[in-house]
Each structure stands twice: as structure tokens, then as C-alpha cells.
Amino acid sequence: MKLRTSTALALGSVLLTGGLLAGCSGNGGDEPANGGGQTAGNAQQDAGSGGAAPKVNEYGWTMPEKTITVDYYTADKDNPDKVAKKFAAIHDYFLKTFNVDVKKMQYDVDGKEKLNLMLASNDYPGVLSAIDSDTIDKWRAQGKLIDLAPLVDKYGPNIKKELGAKYKSYLDKDGKLWGIPRGWGYLPIPDNSAHIRWDWYQAMGSPKLETPDDYYNVLKQMVAAHPKNAQGQKTYAISWNDQISVNTVLGIWGLKDGYKEDADHNLTHWLNTSEGLEAVKFYNRFYREGLMDPDSFLNKFDDWKLKFSNEQIIGHIGPWWQSWNAGHEVWKTTNPDWTDEQRYVQIALKAPGAEAAYLSPKDTTGWNYTVITDKEAHPEDIVKFLDFEMTPIGTRLTGWGIPNLPESVWSYKSDGSWSFNDAQKQKLLAGTFDYDKADEATGGNQIWLDHPQGLMSDDGKSTAWYDQNFNDEDKWKAKMNANLKDTIYDNTARRIVFTADNPLTIVNQQIEDLIKTGFAKAVMSKTEEGAVQAFDDMRDKALKLGLKDIEAFRAQAYKDNLANMQ
């Protein structure tokens, strides 16, 4: 995939000035706005020849005579039973309202490993989603993907319209399009942070909390004050789960996406930095003193969530939403004495000497891609559906879920006007919004094949996450965004593609595999000397594998991308 033109950064600047953080209440909260329903449709399907005019539904989608089947696997890791509950309603809605049968496969396993098994067995569906650039190149090289450019030319006017000048940056040197982006655009809100139990922190007198050492000391005091939970189970200052990234955590020590950058844009992998060692020693200190969950590197998210909501885990560094989802969103429904202060607040820890805490990298290209494989019998139908989802009204429907139900977060009329559900909005602001109930009833964001993470093009305000549309009106979101505003950075130029014919591709994967086990081993060493030795061993093994070559390759590609963005 060819990387970026100057439009990437330009898009980021335009979206940032759109004012998400300043005010995302859509259209004054409840005032209807033109959702573009009529603009999304007639280009979706061929009109056919003769006979009655084709039926166009209220979203502007031309109903196909025969059911379109979108059979896809998403490499996003999640519990399949939980996914099935949240997917059922939106599946039925699209089948009834669009005559589109969306079939989704999702597993609680590593997505790249699953894709490798699919490729080796030649057993995979017609559509794959959440596919990164490296995986695309591997599948393309084996002739398993189809070029989407001719199909987008014919059936994807809205794909081209929404991506604008950025569309060309997704084409390879031969003008071929191997994937359509997911989560593209720029959304200037935080993704990751350190978290602090707010009511307990206030009870301590709100001591200084700026550095990793500050955080350690506060959490240690919290464990001392709350050594067991209500069930008599031991508590821990900190833990880890399978959705936390080492590279993200290293942002506290001033590294960007796991690399240290000098004035000439040379990149040094965290294994070759003192900052990387300090991060390992930071976690090891918790482990050595019995303050770290011993199951940290075994926890799947659901296991971790249960421990967290049971108040066994006191501190957290990871995605901001995790302490909400596993903390007060559970407590408010299970604890009759719950108060609004009984929650976690997100903070920006920064190590001494670090320029900034770089916790939330933003790639305007998108997180990854949706591709169509050689197993798909009707790729034109898939592109027509992707074209609808790319529109603002398509994004609202797939992002916010089914409208006009009691649990719906929005209302929609056949004339294309829409409004937020004020009752649901008030629950959200009050902290009583039931996410699971709403998700199961409406299927919000359960179909994310190609809609953007950035602001929608028709109003420049609303975004695909319903609960991110009112940040200026939510006391706790406003506090989080203020605390973390300096941790967000544009990481578009850092996206590097390891192509199938690049000998460093295997080296890069070997090093990533090494880190998965090596980091855990170093953190869970019984002594600080043992942690340092395990870190050194991990680094030395990575160097033997070719870490210096990886650094040089990434740095040159990064510099080339920066030059192309001028």
C-alpha cells in the first residue's frame, strides 16, 4: 500500500478545527438535521432495466431484488458469545430494512494468527476486516485478494467522496486498491491513560500525582488502606490485560509508539533505550512487592474486568474506557450506595526528563482495512454496501445502531432528518446509561467495515461513537480530555508496511513474538537484578535477530513519509 500524501495531515488539521472537543452535541442535542439520507442511495445499486422502479428505503439505499450476503471475518479480538448478543438485532435490521444479510465471524484469539491459519488452510470467507497493511501484502502476494479500484470506480462514489483527495494515497504504484480503510480520519480525543480511583484519591488528600513514582506511591497507599475487597480477596495495585500494548505504556517515558526519535528523525526501538528499561523496572517493582496481579499477562479482558469490578485491582494503565466499563458502569448497577465520585479518573503520568507523555497515537490513514478475497462471488455487492456505510447516514446507522427504539440513542425520519435521543443522552451524562442493554438492542458499532473514526463530513461535529458526541457536557469526560489533551499526537507518518518480499518482515514478527514473552518474564522477575538481566537478554536476542536493521528500515520509511507529506 502506498503511504500518505500531504492530505493526511491536512485532514487532521481540518477535523481538529471542527470542534469535537469544543462541542459535539450534533445539532443542538435534539434539533433535527439533514442526515443525507437521500444522497446515499441511488448510487448504491444499478437501477436495472425495465419493470417497476427499484424501491429505495428511508436511508437512500436501493433495495436489491436478491438478498446481498456480506460474509466476513474480523481480526479484532473479542468474546464471540458477547459479540453474538450485540450483533443479533442489527443483523436482523439490515436483513429486513436493506435486504442485506451480514454474517460476522469474530473470535477471542490473536487475529493475525487466525488469518495465517486461514491462509495456510485456504479456508476463509469472501470478506476480511481489521486487516493491517503487512497482512494485506501477504495475501495479495499469494493472489488471494481482488483489486477494488475498478469496483470503487463503478459502485463506490461515496467512498471516493468521503475520502476525497486522500483516496489516491490508498492506491499502490500500479493504481490498484487492495483494501478500504477502517477508522480513518482524525479524532482528537485520548485513547490511553493512567487511571486513579477518585474517591480514594480524594480521601488521601489528593497528593501530587505526576510521575510514575508518584503513581506507585499512591497506589501502594491505596492497597495498604484497602488490602482486601468486600469478599475478602487480596487486592493489587496494578494489573495487565490482553488489550494493553507495551508500546502505549512506553508513552509515559516519552517514547512514541515504542520508539525514541532524535532531531534527525532517526528511530531507536525501546529495547535499545534506558526508557524501556525504566518501564520494565517500574512494573517489576510492583511485582516484587506483591502489588501486581500475578495473572497480569494471562488475563483476557473479561477475566480482568471481573477482577476490576470486584475491586481487586486498584490501579490501571491502558485504554481510558476500560476503567469506566469495568468500574463505575458496573458499580452503579450493582451497588445501591454507589456515588458519582466512586469512579476512576484518567491522568497523564510523565516520567522525569520526558518531553511529554505520548499515550494516544493517531493514524489518519485508519487503523486497518477491509478487503475482498478471491472467495467472494459477488464483490460488486460488497462494494455497494461499503459505499453506503462510508456515508454520514451509513456511519450513523452502523455506529449508533438501530434508531427509533426505546433503547436507541438516536431518532431518524424518512426525510433524512435525525436527532439524538435526549432521554438516553441524559442517562449518559448522569452516568446511568446502560451500554450493554443499548448495544444488544441496537447493535451500535457492531458492523465497522469502513466507516470513519473522525468527524462526519455533513456536520463536522458528530462522530461514530455515540458517547463521544457530548464531551463538553460531560463532567468526567471534560476532566479526562483536559488532563490528557497533551498526550494525543499524529502518528500517520509512522505507519510502516512490511511487505511479503521484504526479508525484514519475518525478522519484525520474530522480534514482536519475542517481546510478548520477554516483557512478561522481565516484569515478573523476583529481583530487580533479575528484571534487568531478563531485559538485557531480551534486547540481546532481538539484536541477534536483526533489531538494528528494523530500526534503520523504519527510520528511512518514516523519513520518506514525512518528505511525501510536505
Side-chain angles (χ1 to χ4, degrees):
M1 306 292 291
K2 186 169 70 175
L3 287 174
R4 272 72 55 199
T5 65
S6 60
T7 57
L9 292 178
L11 178 62
S13 298
V14 170
L15 291 178
L16 182 59
T17 59
L20 175 68
L21 299 183
C24 278
S25 55
N27 308 284
D30 299 296
E31 291 302 316
N34 191 331
Q38 285 71 31
T39 66
N42 293 334
Q44 303 292 337
Q45 305 286 331
D46 293 332
S49 56
K55 178 183 176 182
V56 178
N57 73 8
E58 59 264 41
Y59 298 98
W61 167 266
T62 303
M63 299 284 285
E65 292 183 6
K66 296 182 179 179
T67 302
I68 289 176
T69 299
V70 181
D71 188 2
Y72 78 100
Y73 164 71
T74 175
D76 284 333
K77 183 178 178 181
D78 206 345
N79 182 297
D81 295 330
K82 182 170 64 175
V83 169
K85 285 183 179 180
K86 294 182 178 182
F87 188 71
I90 195 73
H91 165 273
D92 294 348
Y93 188 81
F94 268 101
L95 186 59
K96 177 182 178 181
T97 311
F98 286 72
N99 200 17
V100 176
D101 185 7
V102 183
K103 299 178 179 180
K104 176 182 177 182
M105 291 181 286
Q106 192 164 7
Y107 306 108
D108 199 8
V109 298
D110 183 272
K112 293 194 78 165
E113 292 178 7
K114 180 66 175 179
L115 287 164
N116 287 336
L117 290 173
M118 287 181 170
L119 186 59
S121 65
N122 199 40
D123 183 12
Y124 50 87
V127 180
L128 304 173
S129 190
I131 310 302
D132 65 20
S133 300
D134 303 348
T135 303
I136 282 182
D137 195 74
K138 181 189 297 185
W139 284 64
R140 176 202 58 77
Q142 296 194 32
K144 303 300 185 181
L145 304 184
I146 67 170
D147 172 20
L148 304 180
L151 292 167
V152 170
D153 286 343
K154 187 172 183 179
Y155 301 110
N158 291 297
I159 293 173
K160 285 190 169 183
K161 176 184 176 183
E162 292 300 318
L163 293 176
K166 191 177 180 68
Y167 173 74
K168 291 183 179 179
S169 71
Y170 297 102
L171 305 177
D172 70 10
K173 60 182 176 58
D174 298 317
K176 295 184 177 181
L177 179 67
W178 300 107
I180 296 177
R182 298 174 71 243
W184 53 275
Y186 188 82
L187 187 63
I189 62 172
D191 297 319
N192 302 283
S193 73
H195 306 239
I196 194 69
R197 175 71 183 259
W198 192 246
D199 52 341
W200 291 354
Y201 179 61
Q202 296 295 306
M204 294 169 61
S206 305
K208 182 170 73 75
L209 194 52
E210 298 174 356
T211 70
D213 280 349
D214 294 339
Y215 193 54
Y216 165 83
N217 290 326
V218 167
L219 292 182
K220 186 174 182 178
Q221 291 177 58
M222 284 185 176
V223 171
H226 307 274
K228 295 183 183 296
N229 67 3
Q231 291 77 41
Q233 297 168 306
K234 179 176 171 55
T235 61
Y236 298 99
I238 205 162
S239 185
W240 195 275
N241 65 61
D242 61 349
Q243 296 183 11
I244 302 173
S245 165
V246 176
N247 284 1
T248 294
V249 169
L250 290 164
I252 291 172
W253 283 265
L255 303 189
K256 290 184 176 180
D257 202 21
Y259 280 82
K260 189 173 185 177
E261 180 179 352
D262 68 15
D264 296 320
H265 304 304
N266 295 306
L267 301 178
T268 302
H269 190 277
W270 65 269
L271 283 173
N272 285 325
T273 69
S274 60
E275 291 87 352
L277 177 58
E278 287 304 312
V280 167
K281 290 165 66 176
F282 169 76
Y283 276 98
N284 174 250
R285 186 180 184 186
F286 284 103
Y287 180 78
R288 286 187 289 108
E289 298 187 18
L291 297 171
M292 187 172 192
D293 172 16
D295 297 325
S296 288
F297 299 103
L298 300 175
N299 288 326
K300 292 183 180 296
F301 177 72
D302 287 344
D303 302 323
W304 179 90
K305 178 179 177 179
L306 180 61
K307 292 180 183 179
F308 196 94
S309 61
N310 282 340
E311 298 183 284
Q312 275 190 273
I313 300 169
I314 292 178
H316 182 47
I317 300 175
W320 71 263
W321 57 268
Q322 289 188 345
S323 69
W324 288 50
N325 182 259
H328 74 265
E329 288 171 7
V330 174
W331 300 332
K332 65 181 171 51
T333 61
T334 59
N335 180 3
D337 298 320
W338 177 77
T339 66
D340 195 40
E341 301 285 307
Q342 187 181 344
R343 62 171 59 244
Y344 280 76
V345 168
Q346 294 65 42
I347 55 174
L349 296 180
K350 184 175 75 68
E355 179 183 55
Y358 296 110
L359 294 171
S360 298
K362 301 291 183 177
D363 183 349
T364 62
T365 303
W367 309 319
N368 40 51
Y369 301 88
T370 291
V371 302
I372 301 179
T373 75
D374 58 345
K375 297 292 184 73
E376 177 54 56
H378 302 286
E380 67 282 357
D381 288 339
I382 306 301
V383 171
K384 291 170 185 175
F385 186 74
L386 294 174
D387 188 69
F388 169 76
E389 186 183 4
M390 188 73 89
T391 64
I393 200 61
T395 297
R396 289 187 175 94
L397 178 58
T398 52
W400 301 343
I402 302 168
N404 306 327
L405 300 175
E407 301 84 3
S408 296
V409 299
W410 69 306
S411 301
Y412 181 75
K413 297 180 180 178
S414 59
D415 64 359
S417 61
W418 62 272
S419 62
F420 288 120
N421 181 329
D422 189 60
Q424 291 287 64
K425 173 185 172 182
Q426 295 308 318
K427 289 179 182 179
L428 179 71
L429 297 177
T432 59
F433 181 75
D434 191 331
Y435 282 89
D436 288 337
K437 183 178 181 180
D439 287 349
E440 289 179 17
T442 69
N445 275 328
Q446 290 304 302
I447 302 173
W448 195 321
L449 290 165
D450 68 339
H451 68 250
Q453 66 161 316
L455 307 177
M456 294 187 210
S457 63
D458 60 346
D459 68 359
K461 294 180 180 179
S462 49
T463 187
W465 286 283
Y466 167 73
D467 62 351
Q468 294 300 323
N469 285 291
F470 318 105
N471 285 344
D472 60 328
E473 301 177 60
D474 187 311
K475 169 185 173 182
W476 300 107
K477 289 278 181 65
K479 179 180 284 292
M480 174 180 71
N481 290 332
N483 289 345
L484 299 174
K485 61 184 176 62
D486 295 328
T487 68
I488 305 163
Y489 64 100
D490 192 317
N491 201 45
T492 303
R494 289 283 190 93
R495 175 176 286 198
I496 310 299
V497 180
F498 284 90
T499 59
D501 58 355
N502 184 346
L504 291 178
T505 297
I506 295 177
V507 174
N508 188 63
Q509 187 60 52
Q510 289 173 329
I511 292 173
E512 289 183 2
D513 292 341
L514 170 68
I515 289 171
K516 285 180 182 179
T517 56
F519 181 79
K521 180 180 179 181
V523 166
M524 305 187 87
S525 296
K526 294 181 179 179
T527 64
E528 182 174 310
E529 292 77 12
V532 173
Q533 185 60 56
F535 177 86
D536 289 345
D537 290 345
M538 177 169 48
R539 180 200 60 218
D540 292 345
K541 288 177 182 177
L543 288 170
K544 288 179 180 179
L545 288 170
L547 181 57
K548 284 292 184 183
D549 294 330
I550 296 295
E551 287 178 340
F553 174 73
R554 282 186 175 274
Q556 188 56 56
Y558 174 45
K559 292 175 185 178
D560 292 344
N561 291 340
L562 288 173
N564 291 334
M565 289 178 174
Q566 299 301 318

